[in-house]
Amino acid sequence: METRTPRGFHDVLPDEVRRWQFIEDNARRIFDLYGFSEIRIPVLEFTEVFARSLGTTTDIVEKEMYTFTDRDGSSITLRPEGTAGVVRAFVENSMHAKSPVSKLWYSGMMFRHERPQKGRYRGFYQIGAELLGPEDPASDADLIAMVWKFLESIGLSDRLTLEISSLGDQRCRPQYKEKLVAYFKPEADRLCPDCRRRLGTNPLRILDCKEEGCRKIAAGAPKMMDNLCGECAAHFGAVREYLGSAGVPYTINPKIVRGLDYYTRTVFEVTTNELGSQNAVAAGGRYDGLVEELGGPGTPAVGFATGMERLVLLHEKAHPGGFRREIKVFIAYVGEGTETAAFRLTAALRERGVPAEMEYGGKSLKSQLKRADKSGAVYTFIIGEDELSRGKVKLRRMETSSEEEVDIEAAPALSF
Ligand code: ATP
Ligand code: MG
C-alpha cells in the first residue's frame, strides 16, 4: 500500500490550519459585508460543463483535467475551477428568476493535472465569488474592491499588485483576433508547436504561452486594449472611475489575457513578486456570455478566484508565527482516584467556556508538565491524592512555575 498522497496533493496539518482558518474567516466576513451568500456545489460535474465554459482549446481542458467515465458511461470531471459549477447551479436552479442580482461565493478544492512546484499543486483550494445579473461597471468595481478589501483584511495588500485590463466583447474581439493572426502568421515558424496550432484554433491563447520564444514574439503583438469598441472602452473607463473613487490602487496591464475563453471586458490579476514564478494570487473578470453558453438566459456576470495555498505561503512570510492553537488550562493528576476528579474538573472548565485539556493515562508528573508546556497552557491544575482528600487542587502558573492551592469546587469559576 502507498502511504503517501498522489503527486501534487498535500495535507494541511493542524499546525498550519489556524492560518487557513484566519484567512477563511476574513473572506467570509468581508464577502458578507458586500452582500454575498455562500453556495456549495459538487466537486465534480459533467465534463461538458467545463469544456463548454472554459473553452475546448484552453490548457485546462486540453491537458489538465481529471476526467473519468462513470459507471453509466457518462464523462465526469473533477472541477478545475469554481465558476463553471456556480453558473451551472445558477442555471439549474433558475436563480435569475428569483432576483435580478445574485451574489455568490464558494470555497473548496480544485483539481488540475499540472507539474507540481512550490505554490502549484494538482489539488489546491480556491475561494471565489461570482456576481451575476448586472452589466453595470459599478458591479465590476464592487467585486474588485471586495477582493482588495479581503486582501487588506489579512494584511497582504501592501505586498500585492492589482492589474486590470479589458478583453473587449463579441463585437470588437473578432476583429482583434484577425489582427493577431496577421501579426503572428509571419512568425509561425518561430512559435512553439502548441502556438502554431493555436494560430488556427485560438490565437488569443498565444499571448498566454509560457515558452520564452513565444513570449518574446507576443511582446510586440497588438493589444486588445488598443482595439476596444466604443461601448467596451466606455465600460472600462467607468470601471476605472469607480475603482478610483473606492480608493482601490490599480495599474493597467494590457497584456493580461487570462487562461480561459469565457472572459469578456474587464479582467484583473493580483500578483506578488515574493512567490517566484507562482506569482498569481487572485484573478478574475467579466464573463457576459457564459450563462447563456450553459443554457441559461443571457446574464452578464463578473467573478474572481484566489488560491489559498499561495495566500498562505505569502501570509507566512508576511506574518510569521502566532497561529498555534493554544489551550488555556491543562489538568494533570497523580495518584489513586485522581483521574476521575481530573475528568470532572476538565468538563466543568469547558462548561464555562475555558479551553481545557487533560492528561490521559497518568504518566509521571514531570512528563505531564512537559506536555502541558508544549500545549501552550497558561495554567496547569495538578490533582494529587493528598490535596484531593482535603478538597483542594494545586494551580500552577506555567510561566513562573509558582503554585498555590485552591478549592477544587471553586476551581472552574476562577478567572483565567
Ligand atoms: P497560473 O498562471 O499560476 O497557472 P491561473 O491563471 O491558472 O494561474 P486561475 O485559473 O486564474 O489561475 O485561478 C485563480 C487562482 O488560483 C490563481 O491566481 C492561483 O492563486 C490559484 N491557482 C491556480 N492554479 C493553481 C495550482 N495549480 N496550485 C495552486 N494554486 C493555483
Ligand atoms: Mg494555470
Side-chain angles (χ1 to χ4, degrees), residues 323-353:
F323 276 92
R324 277 188 59 215
R325 187 191 60 102
E326 274 177 16
I327 203 87
K328 250 313 181 15
V329 180
F330 191 86
I331 296 92
Y333 54 88
V334 217
E336 196 73 21
T338 54
E339 181 159 15
T340 320
F343 195 82
R344 254 190 256 124
L345 176 55
T346 310
L349 283 162
R350 291 173 182 155
E351 204 59 46
R352 290 181 170 266

PDB file of all heavy atoms in Angstrom, residues 323-353:
ATOM      1  N   PHE A 323       0.169  31.569  15.064  1.00  0.00           N
ATOM      2  CA  PHE A 323      -1.052  30.888  14.641  1.00  0.00           C
ATOM      3  C   PHE A 323      -1.201  29.491  15.231  1.00  0.00           C
ATOM      4  O   PHE A 323      -1.815  28.636  14.646  1.00  0.00           O
ATOM      5  CB  PHE A 323      -1.144  30.838  13.115  1.00  0.00           C
ATOM      6  CG  PHE A 323      -1.717  32.098  12.560  1.00  0.00           C
ATOM      7  CD1 PHE A 323      -0.892  33.138  12.188  1.00  0.00           C
ATOM      8  CD2 PHE A 323      -3.088  32.264  12.467  1.00  0.00           C
ATOM      9  CE1 PHE A 323      -1.415  34.312  11.701  1.00  0.00           C
ATOM     10  CE2 PHE A 323      -3.636  33.436  11.983  1.00  0.00           C
ATOM     11  CZ  PHE A 323      -2.792  34.462  11.595  1.00  0.00           C
ATOM     12  N   ARG A 324      -0.620  29.293  16.441  1.00  0.00           N
ATOM     13  CA  ARG A 324      -0.762  27.977  17.070  1.00  0.00           C
ATOM     14  C   ARG A 324      -2.066  27.918  17.843  1.00  0.00           C
ATOM     15  O   ARG A 324      -2.518  28.908  18.408  1.00  0.00           O
ATOM     16  CB  ARG A 324       0.401  27.746  18.032  1.00  0.00           C
ATOM     17  CG  ARG A 324       1.644  27.236  17.330  1.00  0.00           C
ATOM     18  CD  ARG A 324       2.685  26.838  18.361  1.00  0.00           C
ATOM     19  NE  ARG A 324       2.192  25.813  19.259  1.00  0.00           N
ATOM     20  CZ  ARG A 324       2.521  25.743  20.547  1.00  0.00           C
ATOM     21  NH1 ARG A 324       3.308  26.643  21.076  1.00  0.00           N
ATOM     22  NH2 ARG A 324       2.071  24.771  21.303  1.00  0.00           N
ATOM     23  N   ARG A 325      -2.628  26.734  17.878  1.00  0.00           N
ATOM     24  CA  ARG A 325      -3.790  26.554  18.733  1.00  0.00           C
ATOM     25  C   ARG A 325      -3.274  26.554  20.175  1.00  0.00           C
ATOM     26  O   ARG A 325      -2.287  25.914  20.484  1.00  0.00           O
ATOM     27  CB  ARG A 325      -4.451  25.206  18.451  1.00  0.00           C
ATOM     28  CG  ARG A 325      -5.750  24.983  19.168  1.00  0.00           C
ATOM     29  CD  ARG A 325      -6.143  23.524  19.009  1.00  0.00           C
ATOM     30  NE  ARG A 325      -5.099  22.685  19.582  1.00  0.00           N
ATOM     31  CZ  ARG A 325      -5.194  22.096  20.776  1.00  0.00           C
ATOM     32  NH1 ARG A 325      -6.277  22.232  21.490  1.00  0.00           N
ATOM     33  NH2 ARG A 325      -4.221  21.351  21.233  1.00  0.00           N
ATOM     34  N   GLU A 326      -3.891  27.314  21.033  1.00  0.00           N
ATOM     35  CA  GLU A 326      -3.410  27.318  22.408  1.00  0.00           C
ATOM     36  C   GLU A 326      -4.502  26.897  23.363  1.00  0.00           C
ATOM     37  O   GLU A 326      -5.641  27.285  23.234  1.00  0.00           O
ATOM     38  CB  GLU A 326      -2.864  28.703  22.764  1.00  0.00           C
ATOM     39  CG  GLU A 326      -1.410  28.779  22.333  1.00  0.00           C
ATOM     40  CD  GLU A 326      -0.784  30.131  22.570  1.00  0.00           C
ATOM     41  OE1 GLU A 326      -1.357  30.916  23.338  1.00  0.00           O
ATOM     42  OE2 GLU A 326       0.275  30.362  21.977  1.00  0.00           O
ATOM     43  N   ILE A 327      -4.068  26.091  24.340  1.00  0.00           N
ATOM     44  CA  ILE A 327      -5.002  25.637  25.340  1.00  0.00           C
ATOM     45  C   ILE A 327      -4.757  26.513  26.569  1.00  0.00           C
ATOM     46  O   ILE A 327      -3.624  26.849  26.881  1.00  0.00           O
ATOM     47  CB  ILE A 327      -4.798  24.121  25.591  1.00  0.00           C
ATOM     48  CG1 ILE A 327      -6.056  23.515  26.170  1.00  0.00           C
ATOM     49  CG2 ILE A 327      -3.613  23.840  26.455  1.00  0.00           C
ATOM     50  CD1 ILE A 327      -7.026  23.071  25.106  1.00  0.00           C
ATOM     51  N   LYS A 328      -5.821  26.911  27.219  1.00  0.00           N
ATOM     52  CA  LYS A 328      -5.675  27.820  28.363  1.00  0.00           C
ATOM     53  C   LYS A 328      -5.192  27.072  29.612  1.00  0.00           C
ATOM     54  O   LYS A 328      -4.287  27.478  30.313  1.00  0.00           O
ATOM     55  CB  LYS A 328      -7.046  28.431  28.675  1.00  0.00           C
ATOM     56  CG  LYS A 328      -7.329  29.906  28.413  1.00  0.00           C
ATOM     57  CD  LYS A 328      -6.373  30.827  28.844  1.00  0.00           C
ATOM     58  CE  LYS A 328      -6.366  32.290  28.767  1.00  0.00           C
ATOM     59  NZ  LYS A 328      -7.549  32.995  28.487  1.00  0.00           N
ATOM     60  N   VAL A 329      -5.847  25.920  29.830  1.00  0.00           N
ATOM     61  CA  VAL A 329      -5.595  25.216  31.087  1.00  0.00           C
ATOM     62  C   VAL A 329      -5.342  23.732  30.821  1.00  0.00           C
ATOM     63  O   VAL A 329      -6.051  23.119  30.028  1.00  0.00           O
ATOM     64  CB  VAL A 329      -6.831  25.346  32.019  1.00  0.00           C
ATOM     65  CG1 VAL A 329      -6.578  24.627  33.334  1.00  0.00           C
ATOM     66  CG2 VAL A 329      -7.174  26.796  32.263  1.00  0.00           C
ATOM     67  N   PHE A 330      -4.315  23.188  31.477  1.00  0.00           N
ATOM     68  CA  PHE A 330      -4.035  21.762  31.385  1.00  0.00           C
ATOM     69  C   PHE A 330      -4.334  21.142  32.747  1.00  0.00           C
ATOM     70  O   PHE A 330      -4.135  21.777  33.781  1.00  0.00           O
ATOM     71  CB  PHE A 330      -2.573  21.540  31.000  1.00  0.00           C
ATOM     72  CG  PHE A 330      -2.271  20.120  30.640  1.00  0.00           C
ATOM     73  CD1 PHE A 330      -2.474  19.675  29.341  1.00  0.00           C
ATOM     74  CD2 PHE A 330      -1.780  19.232  31.595  1.00  0.00           C
ATOM     75  CE1 PHE A 330      -2.208  18.357  28.993  1.00  0.00           C
ATOM     76  CE2 PHE A 330      -1.514  17.903  31.259  1.00  0.00           C
ATOM     77  CZ  PHE A 330      -1.721  17.473  29.945  1.00  0.00           C
ATOM     78  N   ILE A 331      -4.815  19.904  32.753  1.00  0.00           N
ATOM     79  CA  ILE A 331      -5.131  19.254  34.024  1.00  0.00           C
ATOM     80  C   ILE A 331      -4.286  17.985  34.160  1.00  0.00           C
ATOM     81  O   ILE A 331      -4.442  17.037  33.396  1.00  0.00           O
ATOM     82  CB  ILE A 331      -6.642  18.911  34.134  1.00  0.00           C
ATOM     83  CG1 ILE A 331      -7.467  20.202  34.125  1.00  0.00           C
ATOM     84  CG2 ILE A 331      -6.939  18.165  35.447  1.00  0.00           C
ATOM     85  CD1 ILE A 331      -7.930  20.646  32.789  1.00  0.00           C
ATOM     86  N   ALA A 332      -3.373  18.039  35.135  1.00  0.00           N
ATOM     87  CA  ALA A 332      -2.506  16.892  35.421  1.00  0.00           C
ATOM     88  C   ALA A 332      -2.975  16.231  36.711  1.00  0.00           C
ATOM     89  O   ALA A 332      -3.662  16.866  37.512  1.00  0.00           O
ATOM     90  CB  ALA A 332      -1.062  17.359  35.546  1.00  0.00           C
ATOM     91  N   TYR A 333      -2.585  14.969  36.907  1.00  0.00           N
ATOM     92  CA  TYR A 333      -3.004  14.295  38.136  1.00  0.00           C
ATOM     93  C   TYR A 333      -2.037  13.175  38.471  1.00  0.00           C
ATOM     94  O   TYR A 333      -1.456  12.565  37.575  1.00  0.00           O
ATOM     95  CB  TYR A 333      -4.438  13.756  37.991  1.00  0.00           C
ATOM     96  CG  TYR A 333      -4.616  12.864  36.785  1.00  0.00           C
ATOM     97  CD1 TYR A 333      -4.376  11.492  36.868  1.00  0.00           C
ATOM     98  CD2 TYR A 333      -4.997  13.404  35.563  1.00  0.00           C
ATOM     99  CE1 TYR A 333      -4.515  10.679  35.754  1.00  0.00           C
ATOM    100  CE2 TYR A 333      -5.133  12.604  34.444  1.00  0.00           C
ATOM    101  CZ  TYR A 333      -4.890  11.238  34.543  1.00  0.00           C
ATOM    102  OH  TYR A 333      -5.022  10.446  33.440  1.00  0.00           O
ATOM    103  N   VAL A 334      -1.875  12.942  39.768  1.00  0.00           N
ATOM    104  CA  VAL A 334      -1.017  11.836  40.220  1.00  0.00           C
ATOM    105  C   VAL A 334      -1.696  11.145  41.387  1.00  0.00           C
ATOM    106  O   VAL A 334      -2.085  11.820  42.346  1.00  0.00           O
ATOM    107  CB  VAL A 334       0.358  12.337  40.744  1.00  0.00           C
ATOM    108  CG1 VAL A 334       1.477  11.382  40.365  1.00  0.00           C
ATOM    109  CG2 VAL A 334       0.673  13.751  40.302  1.00  0.00           C
ATOM    110  N   GLY A 335      -1.830   9.806  41.282  1.00  0.00           N
ATOM    111  CA  GLY A 335      -2.302   9.029  42.424  1.00  0.00           C
ATOM    112  C   GLY A 335      -3.717   8.504  42.279  1.00  0.00           C
ATOM    113  O   GLY A 335      -4.468   8.885  41.371  1.00  0.00           O
ATOM    114  N   GLU A 336      -4.012   7.620  43.216  1.00  0.00           N
ATOM    115  CA  GLU A 336      -5.289   6.895  43.265  1.00  0.00           C
ATOM    116  C   GLU A 336      -6.494   7.840  43.206  1.00  0.00           C
ATOM    117  O   GLU A 336      -6.549   8.815  43.961  1.00  0.00           O
ATOM    118  CB  GLU A 336      -5.304   6.109  44.597  1.00  0.00           C
ATOM    119  CG  GLU A 336      -6.327   5.004  44.696  1.00  0.00           C
ATOM    120  CD  GLU A 336      -5.943   3.777  43.834  1.00  0.00           C
ATOM    121  OE1 GLU A 336      -4.740   3.617  43.486  1.00  0.00           O
ATOM    122  OE2 GLU A 336      -6.859   3.023  43.513  1.00  0.00           O
ATOM    123  N   GLY A 337      -7.437   7.548  42.330  1.00  0.00           N
ATOM    124  CA  GLY A 337      -8.710   8.282  42.319  1.00  0.00           C
ATOM    125  C   GLY A 337      -8.634   9.679  41.724  1.00  0.00           C
ATOM    126  O   GLY A 337      -9.652  10.373  41.646  1.00  0.00           O
ATOM    127  N   THR A 338      -7.464  10.110  41.366  1.00  0.00           N
ATOM    128  CA  THR A 338      -7.341  11.498  40.892  1.00  0.00           C
ATOM    129  C   THR A 338      -7.802  11.661  39.442  1.00  0.00           C
ATOM    130  O   THR A 338      -8.191  12.743  39.030  1.00  0.00           O
ATOM    131  CB  THR A 338      -5.879  11.986  40.998  1.00  0.00           C
ATOM    132  OG1 THR A 338      -5.037  11.049  40.307  1.00  0.00           O
ATOM    133  CG2 THR A 338      -5.444  12.135  42.441  1.00  0.00           C
ATOM    134  N   GLU A 339      -7.779  10.564  38.672  1.00  0.00           N
ATOM    135  CA  GLU A 339      -8.141  10.679  37.263  1.00  0.00           C
ATOM    136  C   GLU A 339      -9.602  11.096  37.095  1.00  0.00           C
ATOM    137  O   GLU A 339      -9.922  11.935  36.247  1.00  0.00           O
ATOM    138  CB  GLU A 339      -7.893   9.340  36.545  1.00  0.00           C
ATOM    139  CG  GLU A 339      -8.241   9.433  35.065  1.00  0.00           C
ATOM    140  CD  GLU A 339      -7.565   8.365  34.202  1.00  0.00           C
ATOM    141  OE1 GLU A 339      -7.053   7.383  34.768  1.00  0.00           O
ATOM    142  OE2 GLU A 339      -7.562   8.543  32.962  1.00  0.00           O
ATOM    143  N   THR A 340     -10.475  10.518  37.903  1.00  0.00           N
ATOM    144  CA  THR A 340     -11.895  10.872  37.820  1.00  0.00           C
ATOM    145  C   THR A 340     -12.093  12.338  38.173  1.00  0.00           C
ATOM    146  O   THR A 340     -12.868  13.046  37.525  1.00  0.00           O
ATOM    147  CB  THR A 340     -12.718   9.994  38.792  1.00  0.00           C
ATOM    148  OG1 THR A 340     -12.176   8.679  38.734  1.00  0.00           O
ATOM    149  CG2 THR A 340     -14.167   9.977  38.425  1.00  0.00           C
ATOM    150  N   ALA A 341     -11.397  12.787  39.202  1.00  0.00           N
ATOM    151  CA  ALA A 341     -11.507  14.199  39.596  1.00  0.00           C
ATOM    152  C   ALA A 341     -11.014  15.095  38.464  1.00  0.00           C
ATOM    153  O   ALA A 341     -11.597  16.154  38.179  1.00  0.00           O
ATOM    154  CB  ALA A 341     -10.703  14.458  40.872  1.00  0.00           C
ATOM    155  N   ALA A 342      -9.943  14.668  37.787  1.00  0.00           N
ATOM    156  CA  ALA A 342      -9.399  15.447  36.666  1.00  0.00           C
ATOM    157  C   ALA A 342     -10.416  15.519  35.529  1.00  0.00           C
ATOM    158  O   ALA A 342     -10.632  16.579  34.928  1.00  0.00           O
ATOM    159  CB  ALA A 342      -8.107  14.805  36.167  1.00  0.00           C
ATOM    160  N   PHE A 343     -11.047  14.373  35.279  1.00  0.00           N
ATOM    161  CA  PHE A 343     -12.038  14.308  34.195  1.00  0.00           C
ATOM    162  C   PHE A 343     -13.182  15.288  34.476  1.00  0.00           C
ATOM    163  O   PHE A 343     -13.617  16.036  33.593  1.00  0.00           O
ATOM    164  CB  PHE A 343     -12.569  12.872  34.099  1.00  0.00           C
ATOM    165  CG  PHE A 343     -13.313  12.588  32.826  1.00  0.00           C
ATOM    166  CD1 PHE A 343     -12.635  12.272  31.661  1.00  0.00           C
ATOM    167  CD2 PHE A 343     -14.709  12.655  32.801  1.00  0.00           C
ATOM    168  CE1 PHE A 343     -13.326  12.024  30.476  1.00  0.00           C
ATOM    169  CE2 PHE A 343     -15.405  12.412  31.626  1.00  0.00           C
ATOM    170  CZ  PHE A 343     -14.718  12.092  30.460  1.00  0.00           C
ATOM    171  N   ARG A 344     -13.630  15.280  35.759  1.00  0.00           N
ATOM    172  CA  ARG A 344     -14.742  16.160  36.146  1.00  0.00           C
ATOM    173  C   ARG A 344     -14.348  17.622  36.066  1.00  0.00           C
ATOM    174  O   ARG A 344     -15.088  18.460  35.576  1.00  0.00           O
ATOM    175  CB  ARG A 344     -15.204  15.809  37.566  1.00  0.00           C
ATOM    176  CG  ARG A 344     -16.531  15.073  37.543  1.00  0.00           C
ATOM    177  CD  ARG A 344     -17.130  14.941  38.923  1.00  0.00           C
ATOM    178  NE  ARG A 344     -16.941  13.587  39.409  1.00  0.00           N
ATOM    179  CZ  ARG A 344     -16.329  13.261  40.546  1.00  0.00           C
ATOM    180  NH1 ARG A 344     -15.828  14.203  41.334  1.00  0.00           N
ATOM    181  NH2 ARG A 344     -16.216  12.004  40.893  1.00  0.00           N
ATOM    182  N   LEU A 345     -13.154  17.944  36.565  1.00  0.00           N
ATOM    183  CA  LEU A 345     -12.684  19.341  36.554  1.00  0.00           C
ATOM    184  C   LEU A 345     -12.550  19.849  35.114  1.00  0.00           C
ATOM    185  O   LEU A 345     -12.954  20.976  34.786  1.00  0.00           O
ATOM    186  CB  LEU A 345     -11.342  19.453  37.299  1.00  0.00           C
ATOM    187  CG  LEU A 345     -10.678  20.839  37.295  1.00  0.00           C
ATOM    188  CD1 LEU A 345     -11.624  21.905  37.836  1.00  0.00           C
ATOM    189  CD2 LEU A 345      -9.382  20.813  38.144  1.00  0.00           C
ATOM    190  N   THR A 346     -12.029  18.995  34.238  1.00  0.00           N
ATOM    191  CA  THR A 346     -11.867  19.391  32.825  1.00  0.00           C
ATOM    192  C   THR A 346     -13.223  19.717  32.205  1.00  0.00           C
ATOM    193  O   THR A 346     -13.390  20.754  31.550  1.00  0.00           O
ATOM    194  CB  THR A 346     -11.199  18.262  32.015  1.00  0.00           C
ATOM    195  OG1 THR A 346     -10.033  17.835  32.719  1.00  0.00           O
ATOM    196  CG2 THR A 346     -10.794  18.729  30.635  1.00  0.00           C
ATOM    197  N   ALA A 347     -14.201  18.838  32.477  1.00  0.00           N
ATOM    198  CA  ALA A 347     -15.545  19.054  31.919  1.00  0.00           C
ATOM    199  C   ALA A 347     -16.138  20.350  32.455  1.00  0.00           C
ATOM    200  O   ALA A 347     -16.754  21.123  31.709  1.00  0.00           O
ATOM    201  CB  ALA A 347     -16.444  17.873  32.272  1.00  0.00           C
ATOM    202  N   ALA A 348     -15.933  20.617  33.764  1.00  0.00           N
ATOM    203  CA  ALA A 348     -16.506  21.823  34.380  1.00  0.00           C
ATOM    204  C   ALA A 348     -15.884  23.086  33.783  1.00  0.00           C
ATOM    205  O   ALA A 348     -16.563  24.095  33.586  1.00  0.00           O
ATOM    206  CB  ALA A 348     -16.292  21.779  35.891  1.00  0.00           C
ATOM    207  N   LEU A 349     -14.591  23.033  33.507  1.00  0.00           N
ATOM    208  CA  LEU A 349     -13.914  24.186  32.891  1.00  0.00           C
ATOM    209  C   LEU A 349     -14.495  24.468  31.509  1.00  0.00           C
ATOM    210  O   LEU A 349     -14.827  25.599  31.170  1.00  0.00           O
ATOM    211  CB  LEU A 349     -12.411  23.908  32.787  1.00  0.00           C
ATOM    212  CG  LEU A 349     -11.629  24.044  34.090  1.00  0.00           C
ATOM    213  CD1 LEU A 349     -10.286  23.328  33.976  1.00  0.00           C
ATOM    214  CD2 LEU A 349     -11.417  25.509  34.450  1.00  0.00           C
ATOM    215  N   ARG A 350     -14.635  23.409  30.730  1.00  0.00           N
ATOM    216  CA  ARG A 350     -15.167  23.577  29.358  1.00  0.00           C
ATOM    217  C   ARG A 350     -16.589  24.105  29.403  1.00  0.00           C
ATOM    218  O   ARG A 350     -16.981  24.909  28.551  1.00  0.00           O
ATOM    219  CB  ARG A 350     -15.116  22.245  28.618  1.00  0.00           C
ATOM    220  CG  ARG A 350     -13.691  21.816  28.325  1.00  0.00           C
ATOM    221  CD  ARG A 350     -13.682  20.426  27.756  1.00  0.00           C
ATOM    222  NE  ARG A 350     -12.333  19.945  27.507  1.00  0.00           N
ATOM    223  CZ  ARG A 350     -12.005  18.668  27.475  1.00  0.00           C
ATOM    224  NH1 ARG A 350     -12.931  17.748  27.724  1.00  0.00           N
ATOM    225  NH2 ARG A 350     -10.777  18.299  27.224  1.00  0.00           N
ATOM    226  N   GLU A 351     -17.346  23.629  30.398  1.00  0.00           N
ATOM    227  CA  GLU A 351     -18.729  24.091  30.577  1.00  0.00           C
ATOM    228  C   GLU A 351     -18.763  25.611  30.695  1.00  0.00           C
ATOM    229  O   GLU A 351     -19.698  26.257  30.263  1.00  0.00           O
ATOM    230  CB  GLU A 351     -19.297  23.423  31.845  1.00  0.00           C
ATOM    231  CG  GLU A 351     -20.796  23.300  31.895  1.00  0.00           C
ATOM    232  CD  GLU A 351     -21.372  22.494  30.738  1.00  0.00           C
ATOM    233  OE1 GLU A 351     -20.843  21.394  30.422  1.00  0.00           O
ATOM    234  OE2 GLU A 351     -22.324  22.985  30.139  1.00  0.00           O
ATOM    235  N   ARG A 352     -17.707  26.158  31.292  1.00  0.00           N
ATOM    236  CA  ARG A 352     -17.635  27.617  31.469  1.00  0.00           C
ATOM    237  C   ARG A 352     -16.915  28.300  30.301  1.00  0.00           C
ATOM    238  O   ARG A 352     -16.597  29.478  30.370  1.00  0.00           O
ATOM    239  CB  ARG A 352     -16.904  27.942  32.776  1.00  0.00           C
ATOM    240  CG  ARG A 352     -17.731  27.564  33.975  1.00  0.00           C
ATOM    241  CD  ARG A 352     -17.026  27.900  35.257  1.00  0.00           C
ATOM    242  NE  ARG A 352     -17.968  27.743  36.355  1.00  0.00           N
ATOM    243  CZ  ARG A 352     -18.696  28.732  36.863  1.00  0.00           C
ATOM    244  NH1 ARG A 352     -18.577  29.956  36.380  1.00  0.00           N
ATOM    245  NH2 ARG A 352     -19.539  28.510  37.845  1.00  0.00           N
ATOM    246  N   GLY A 353     -16.628  27.524  29.272  1.00  0.00           N
ATOM    247  CA  GLY A 353     -16.028  28.125  28.087  1.00  0.00           C
ATOM    248  C   GLY A 353     -14.518  28.285  28.152  1.00  0.00           C
ATOM    249  O   GLY A 353     -13.938  29.011  27.352  1.00  0.00           O
TER     250      GLY A 353
END
